[in-house]
Amino acid sequence: MYRFLDSVHRGRNELWRYAFTVFLSFIVSNLGAGFIAAIFIAAAVILSRGVLSPEIISGGFSGPILLLLVAVSFSASLFFLYVGVRFIHKREFISAVNARGYLDWRRILRGALVWLLIVGVVDAVSMILDPSGFRFSFNPSSFGWLLLLALIAFPVQASFEEIFFRGYLMQGMWSVIRKPVPLIILNSAIFAVMHWWNGTSITMSLSIVISTFIIGVALAVTALADDGLELAMGVHIANNLYVSVIHSSPDSGLGDLPSIIISPTDPYSSPVFLIIASLVMILILFRGRYDDVLKIFRDHY
């Protein structure tokens, strides 16, 4: 029934293969990104002829500079995940995305457009009801750099997270947990905990973990109901682009960004908002296919 999850059996699944792939995808890739960052700092210090110090530059790793590091880091992570699936697990990389054997770009676009529609409508209503919580800060020059870097960084970052968590990891867990609901809950909990360090305070980190768990459940349900990751990838990419380019908060892990709209707190961390938005998203994406969603919960029993 879940051809996408059953794709895990096309390859080798000993525990050491998962441990090695995770090590490559997270540890080795981040060490590589750190090495590149060190080169960047050294070059900046040398070119500035001593005006800038390493401490000043490293302290400025926020906003656009951090977006560049995100692009480098997650590109490396995606590359090593490919190496792990293809050569360590010995199966086709596309099998961690879907069972169709090809990437469906229309599904990615559909997921992205639906989520942009939802958050756009919510923003419009919120601005009408309480405009004091929004500050417009559009600057053409800085916004252009933000848009370019975000379009480079977030499709890679969001795609890696979807393929790793909702694809590779959830497929591996399916080998042990053969019930979709416990699988979704455990997978989403791991996904949420990994985002603890995105917050700038304990309160913000806790809020991010709760919010990430909710969206993780929604994306896992979407992936299982559609038997593939493309819709979830589209939603994830659109969400990250929106909260960085269109409407951001300095409390987020990326710090101050020259977005079009800025709010003092993360406008999308509310659990109530995410639950409602996720339900609306699923209702729109699976209009006429609700049985594909309901089967997930029926298969739990």
Side-chain angles (χ1 to χ4, degrees), residues 2 173-174 176-185 224 296 298-301:
Y2 299 101
M173 295 168 67
W174 179 247
V176 180
I177 305 173
R178 301 293 295 184
K179 296 291 185 179
V181 172
L183 176 69
I184 288 172
I185 293 173
L224 292 188
I296 295 170
R298 287 198 298 263
D299 290 347
H300 177 54
Y301 300 100

Side-chain angles (χ1 to χ4, degrees), residues 30-71:
N30 281 303
L31 287 174
F35 179 71
I36 292 173
I39 294 176
F40 170 80
I41 293 174
V45 171
I46 294 171
L47 292 175
S48 69
R49 299 180 183 276
V51 174
L52 298 176
S53 67
E55 292 77 14
I56 292 175
I57 297 174
S58 61
F61 278 169
S62 62
I65 294 178
L66 189 54
L67 282 181
L68 186 59
L69 293 178
V70 167

Side-chain angles (χ1 to χ4, degrees), residues 114-115 118-119 122 214-215 218 270-284:
V114 166
W115 189 251
I118 293 171
V119 293
V122 170
I214 294 170
I215 196 67
S270 167
V272 176
F273 160 77
L274 282 176
I275 291 172
I276 295 174
S278 297
L279 290 174
V280 172
M281 174 194 76
I282 290 173
L283 288 173
I284 295 175

